[in-house]
Amino acid sequence: MKKLKNPEGWMTKPIERGSYWSYFVGQNIYYNLTAAFITTYLAMQGISLAKAGIVLLVVKIWDAINDPLFGYIFDKVKFKSGKKSIPWLRIAVLFIPVVTIAVFAIPSGLSEMGKLVWFGVAYILWDSIYTLTDVPAYSMLTTMTDNLQERGTLLALNRIFSGVGGALYSVVLTFLISETVGLSVTWSVVILSVFSALTMIPLCIFGKERNYKPEQEEENFSIRQMLSYLVKNKYLLIFYGGYFATDGLKTSGAVALFAAFYLFGSANFNIILSAVGMVPGFLVALMMPTLIRKYDKFKMLVWSNIANIVLGLVIYFAGWENQIFFLVMTVIRSIPLSIAGNLYFMFTPDCAEYGQYKSGISAKGITFSIQTFTVKITSAIATSLALFLLGLFAWANVEAESFAELEAMGVTQSPLAMQGLWFVYALMPVIGLIISAVFFHFYKLNDKDVQVMAKCNAGEITREEAEAQLSRTY
């Protein structure tokens, strides 16, 4: 069999890239279970939506401490194996299935307070372990290779596999708990959790960290230095300010199953929505390595978000009654949505290089912990916001194990609740995109300058040579 050749200048091998992409299939399933499905699950526990929303926000106080704290620990700890990320990933893969199942195994016989306490404790444990699956995995990209094009390709195709994970979550979970099958949420989560763990294991075996140089890291890295690093890394703060607005108000995923069931007539409609957006999303992800070689990725992100705003407003004001028009617009909108979704996490490595260039401190763990923190807290805010808003629109609380049980109970929602559901599903995400545009206006980092900074940080060129090659003063 003919051996696969690496592109010129690439450091990773095909089996490493395959295991890296496979990892994010499972990780994205775990993420979507808590980010997108938790609203539906809590609303089917017969508990107050307002109280559930409060619990979600309270546990995020721990998240505010957990992610930067782990980023600090991640940068300080040096394993005897000489590896930076893989030891953490092995720990995470072992425990993430257990804590995920615990979140969705609230005993039905508990009181409302008992259910809230169970959920709060289980969610804190999940949140802590998920940090271990995320920060090391993204930080590992900088230790696998210092080639910016290779990193871009790894991240671009990573979004395909993350999309596969999201699609599998949506299709499989929806089908299992729908009116058609009626399997309980807990057993459905068990099936998805075991599968996800199996897709994440190969990276723990085949991943290589050849570009990791522990001797170059700051040995006496202090909290003050960490804060100094973050202050000097202004583009990290600007970018994630915009991301915070975008994802913090992306309430559509939190109520997607309810929208399918109540607005479009069946929970299985969510499978149709996933399917119609899958092909455009897959094609965009395949094209992304070519696009980022030809165009500056930040400009692509800005124009994609503008298109998302316009199309989102059209969808909202057209309403949900005409399903054919809604599906057509969803397919069209899936193109700029996929472009933006593929691009978002490509900026953290850039900010890591910029932060090291400006401060002289290699603190990639802290940089990627900001990414993890923002992703998790925005999902919690979006979920809590969705719960609060549905409560304001007089949403009727019920207790059920599946949509089959919900259908058998004959539960209906008032016209006001239906309008509120449509507002949460279709308009709130557009408002978030509009706010993010203000933050992104101040982001000035470009791809060519980041490559120069990366070479300087790796010792391939001097500081003076870097300053001469940069397009502007940073």
Side-chain angles (χ1 to χ4, degrees):
M1 183 180 289
K2 194 172 181 179
K3 198 172 182 180
L4 290 173
K5 288 187 177 180
N6 270 357
E8 185 179 353
W10 282 30
M11 302 174 74
T12 59
K13 304 301 180 186
I15 194 169
E16 294 175 65
R17 297 194 289 273
S19 64
Y20 189 74
W21 294 324
S22 170
Y23 179 90
F24 287 95
V25 173
Q27 196 222 32
N28 210 54
I29 291 175
Y30 286 125
Y31 171 74
N32 275 284
L33 280 170
T34 52
F37 181 62
I38 201 66
T39 302
T40 305
Y41 178 67
L42 290 175
M44 294 169 72
Q45 296 303 305
I47 58 180
S48 164
L49 294 185
K51 291 178 182 177
I54 291 171
V55 171
L56 269 175
L57 287 179
V58 168
V59 297
K60 282 305 168 182
I61 295 174
W62 163 247
D63 202 7
I65 302 170
N66 169 44
D67 286 330
L69 178 61
F70 177 71
Y72 177 77
I73 294 171
F74 181 77
D75 284 323
K76 290 282 285 184
V77 172
K78 293 177 176 60
F79 292 97
K80 291 181 180 179
S81 64
K83 296 175 181 178
K84 182 74 171 176
S85 298
I86 290 177
W88 292 111
L89 296 181
R90 289 172 178 167
I91 295 170
V93 170
L94 180 64
F95 288 104
I96 190 67
V98 178
V99 293
T100 303
I101 294 168
V103 170
F104 296 96
I106 300 175
S108 60
L110 291 179
S111 64
E112 181 181 65
M113 180 57 69
K115 289 179 178 180
L116 291 171
V117 171
W118 178 292
F119 170 72
V121 172
Y123 195 91
I124 286 174
L125 292 173
W126 179 89
D127 189 270
S128 302
I129 297 299
Y130 183 82
T131 301
L132 271 63
T133 74
D134 203 60
V135 173
Y138 279 101
S139 181
M140 186 174 173
L141 187 69
T142 64
T143 59
M144 291 170 73
T145 177
D146 60 6
N147 184 300
L148 211 62
Q149 289 292 334
E150 187 176 8
R151 288 181 188 177
T153 300
L154 280 166
L155 279 173
L157 296 183
N158 167 22
R159 301 319 299 165
I160 294 180
F161 288 86
S162 293
V164 169
L168 284 172
Y169 145 79
S170 180
V171 172
V172 174
L173 183 68
T174 300
F175 179 70
L176 291 177
I177 67 172
S178 70
E179 310 94 296
T180 306
V181 178
L183 189 67
S184 73
V185 169
T186 302
W187 280 109
S188 300
V189 171
V190 168
I191 292 170
L192 284 170
S193 294
V194 172
F195 171 80
S196 300
L198 292 176
T199 68
M200 296 168 73
I201 289 173
L203 182 61
C204 301
I205 299 172
F206 300 112
K208 304 292 182 185
E209 298 188 84
R210 60 184 60 76
N211 195 40
Y212 174 49
K213 301 178 178 67
E215 69 279 0
Q216 294 182 6
E217 293 190 339
E218 179 66 51
E219 289 295 333
N220 298 309
F221 193 68
S222 65
I223 296 293
R224 178 178 293 182
Q225 286 174 308
M226 179 185 78
L227 295 174
S228 173
Y229 171 84
L230 289 175
V231 169
K232 291 180 180 179
N233 200 336
K234 64 178 181 180
Y235 292 120
L236 176 70
L237 303 178
I238 289 171
F239 182 80
Y240 276 102
Y243 182 90
F244 195 96
T246 300
D247 265 37
L249 298 186
K250 192 185 286 183
T251 50
S252 54
V255 297
L257 280 169
F258 279 152
F261 184 76
Y262 287 107
L263 299 179
F264 300 110
S266 171
N268 284 321
F269 190 78
N270 194 50
I271 297 177
I272 298 174
L273 290 178
S274 299
V276 298
M278 195 177 299
V279 174
F282 181 74
L283 293 176
V284 165
L286 284 177
M287 293 170 58
M288 194 55 61
T290 302
L291 290 174
I292 61 177
R293 282 196 296 268
K294 291 185 176 182
Y295 307 104
D296 185 86
K297 59 179 177 284
F298 184 70
K299 291 180 180 178
M300 286 195 289
L301 177 64
V302 169
W303 283 108
S304 296
N305 283 346
I306 291 173
N308 285 329
I309 291 171
V310 173
L311 293 171
L313 290 172
V314 171
I315 289 172
Y316 175 73
F317 287 108
W320 72 84
E321 292 82 4
N322 189 334
Q323 292 188 14
I324 301 300
F325 180 77
F326 175 76
L327 284 172
V328 170
M329 293 303 297
T330 298
V331 172
I332 295 172
R333 196 184 184 201
S334 68
I335 297 173
L337 277 174
S338 297
I339 292 173
N342 275 276
L343 289 172
Y344 271 122
F345 293 150
M346 293 186 185
F347 293 91
T348 314
D350 292 359
C351 293
E353 297 292 359
Y354 169 78
Q356 183 176 349
Y357 182 79
K358 284 293 290 183
S359 68
I361 299 172
S362 176
K364 295 180 175 64
I366 292 172
T367 306
F368 285 95
S369 73
I370 295 296
Q371 172 182 299
T372 306
F373 166 73
T374 308
V375 168
K376 288 195 296 183
I377 199 168
T378 52
S379 71
I381 289 173
T383 302
S384 299
L385 183 60
L387 290 169
F388 281 124
L389 290 174
L390 287 180
L392 290 177
F393 285 96
W395 189 263
N397 295 329
V398 294
E399 185 171 0
E401 276 295 317
S402 67
F403 281 98
E405 187 177 339
L406 203 59
E407 183 181 51
M409 294 165 63
V411 177
T412 59
Q413 297 291 340
S414 68
L416 176 63
M418 297 286 274
Q419 288 292 338
L421 177 59
W422 182 241
F423 173 80
V424 173
Y425 180 72
L427 188 59
M428 284 303 298
V430 177
I431 296 173
L433 287 169
I434 294 171
I435 296 173
S436 72
V438 177
F439 285 90
F440 290 154
H441 176 73
F442 298 98
Y443 186 89
K444 305 299 181 183
L445 205 56
N446 63 65
D447 290 347
K448 291 182 179 178
D449 287 349
V450 171
Q451 181 66 79
V452 173
M453 293 176 188
K455 288 182 177 179
C456 180
N457 292 338
E460 297 176 17
I461 59 176
T462 65
R463 181 83 179 191
E464 290 72 22
E465 290 172 323
E467 294 289 347
Q469 295 179 36
L470 293 174
S471 64
R472 59 190 295 273
T473 302
Y474 286 92

